[in-house]
Amino acid sequence: MDLQTLWFAAVAVLWTGFLLLEGFDFGVAALLPVLSKGDPAQKRADKNLMLRTIGPVWDGNEVWLVTAVGAVFAAFPGWYATWLPAMYLPFVLLLLALIVRAVAFEWRHQRHDARWDATWTRVITGGSVVAALAIGGALGATTLGLPIGEDGTRVGGAFSWVGWPVALGAVAVLAYSLVHGAVFLALKTEGPVRERARAFALRWSPLAALPLLAWAGLVVLRSGGLVSTVLWLVAALAVVGTWTRLKVDREGQAFLGWALVLLASAAAVFGAGYPSVVASTVDPAFDVVVGTASVSDYTLTVMTWVAGFGLPVVLGYQAWTYWVFRKRLTAEPEHEAAHA
């Protein structure tokens, strides 16, 4: 495998890792008003429990986004120079959503009254929904098509990127994240929240998988081969497997099955799209491809050595974090939750 292909695969892994890990905490945050039930005090306790499941990991999950964008910039500046300016507004929305979401996580516990708590909880939910839609739209556009001209720049005005590829990618990521968050809550909590989360995932998982499968299927139909087709079939079968595992209360197996839906779909998308990194809707000849978008082999060699030493440390630390916080959580009494 040449270095350009290796780094394309690395970027694909980083984006997939971001969607997989950040996806469930986007989903948990988006489900805060959906899965909390009862009187105001009980709703607050349910929301506290849900947020405690992602409290130790949400900021670490965002590191994958920074690393993915950094890898695109360092390894494929042609990809970066075409994609980010073409999708400027969605990326600005993404950054703003992540900023206000992070502020809300930190400020929510600075005061302990109902109005303050409810306000910042809504900000967490809104920021998570907007971020999921923005990153889904950006990734959908780069794989399904943007109006890119011969010189690698966007054709048209500030909103020429708006179209069905953006909409499909946005809906796919948000829908996947909602079920991903529900399965995670079913795995990580005890009590009524666990039951509601499992019921939500059981009801909506087949429908929520459809946009993601449609996205992957369109890319495979356009430029895929046997391997990408098999990967798409694996993703579709994993949806069925997830549903059957939820049916018999096997949340851990269901979580792995739902993760496989994303892993196989993403592999099909990136595999079928290669060597194109930004598809052009103007003319396929204007696609930005790996060969012309990458830096020199010498630079890629240096990057490979650096990544070879640094990446295992980062992955090991994050794996250790998940291991430490692996136990199920139960709702705390109100007076204890106020000081959490």
Side-chain angles (χ1 to χ4, degrees):
M1 181 186 296
D2 62 86
L3 289 176
Q4 291 178 343
T5 303
L6 176 64
W7 274 94
F8 175 83
V11 169
V13 169
L14 289 170
W15 280 114
T16 305
F18 170 72
L19 293 176
L20 183 64
L21 296 177
E22 191 77 334
F24 70 71
D25 70 54
F26 282 161
V28 169
L31 290 171
L32 288 172
V34 178
L35 299 183
S36 55
K37 304 291 183 181
D39 58 55
Q42 184 59 54
K43 286 184 177 180
R44 185 178 181 186
D46 288 346
K47 290 174 182 177
N48 284 335
L49 173 60
M50 294 167 68
L51 287 172
R52 284 169 56 216
T53 64
I54 59 174
V57 298
W58 68 267
D59 49 352
N61 292 340
E62 291 184 359
V63 172
W64 287 77
L65 174 63
V66 176
T67 309
V69 175
V72 172
F73 174 77
F76 301 102
W79 182 357
Y80 184 94
T82 296
W83 184 34
L84 269 73
M87 299 293 292
Y88 182 78
L89 290 178
F91 276 110
V92 168
L93 284 176
L94 171 64
L95 291 176
L96 290 175
L98 291 177
I99 290 169
V100 299
R101 180 174 179 264
V103 169
F105 269 111
E106 298 300 329
W107 284 16
R108 182 176 180 268
H109 298 297
Q110 299 306 309
R111 286 170 55 185
H112 305 297
D113 64 74
R115 180 175 296 180
W116 178 273
D117 181 270
T119 298
W120 291 111
T121 299
R122 284 193 290 268
V123 173
I124 292 172
T125 297
S128 299
V129 170
V130 171
L133 290 171
I135 196 62
L139 289 171
T142 193
T143 54
L144 291 169
L146 278 169
I148 301 301
E150 186 176 6
D151 60 353
T153 60
R154 184 185 62 208
V155 176
F159 294 97
S160 62
W161 52 270
V162 176
W164 68 265
V166 173
L168 180 59
V171 172
V173 170
L174 179 59
Y176 178 86
S177 296
L178 287 171
V179 172
H180 201 25
V183 177
F184 182 75
L185 286 170
L187 178 64
K188 285 287 293 179
T189 62
E190 293 281 8
V193 170
R194 177 188 178 187
E195 296 305 316
R196 294 186 205 118
R198 190 182 71 84
F200 181 94
L202 189 63
R203 179 177 183 180
W204 293 107
S205 54
L207 183 62
L210 291 180
L212 182 61
L213 292 176
W215 176 3
L218 288 170
V219 179
V220 169
L221 286 174
R222 183 187 64 197
S223 54
L226 177 61
V227 174
S228 56
T229 301
V230 171
L231 287 168
W232 187 91
L233 291 173
V234 169
L237 291 173
V239 176
V240 178
T242 300
W243 190 87
T244 59
R245 294 296 86 195
L246 286 169
K247 192 76 173 175
V248 295
D249 295 342
R250 299 290 186 180
E251 291 98 344
Q253 296 174 10
F255 186 81
L256 293 175
W258 196 245
L260 181 59
V261 174
L262 177 68
L263 293 174
S265 297
V269 168
F270 283 106
Y274 180 83
S276 173
V277 291
V278 182
S280 172
T281 57
V282 177
D283 189 326
F286 300 158
D287 285 4
V288 180
V289 297
V290 166
T292 58
S294 70
V295 294
S296 67
D297 283 348
Y298 175 78
T299 303
L300 291 177
T301 300
V302 174
M303 290 172 56
T304 302
W305 279 104
V306 173
F309 283 104
L311 191 59
V313 175
V314 175
L315 293 177
Y317 175 79
Q318 191 160 36
W320 177 78
T321 302
Y322 277 95
W323 174 255
V324 169
F325 296 101
R326 69 189 181 278
K327 293 183 179 180
R328 288 185 183 271
L329 301 177
T330 56
E332 296 178 329
E334 183 69 16
H335 69 279
E336 293 182 15
H339 298 283

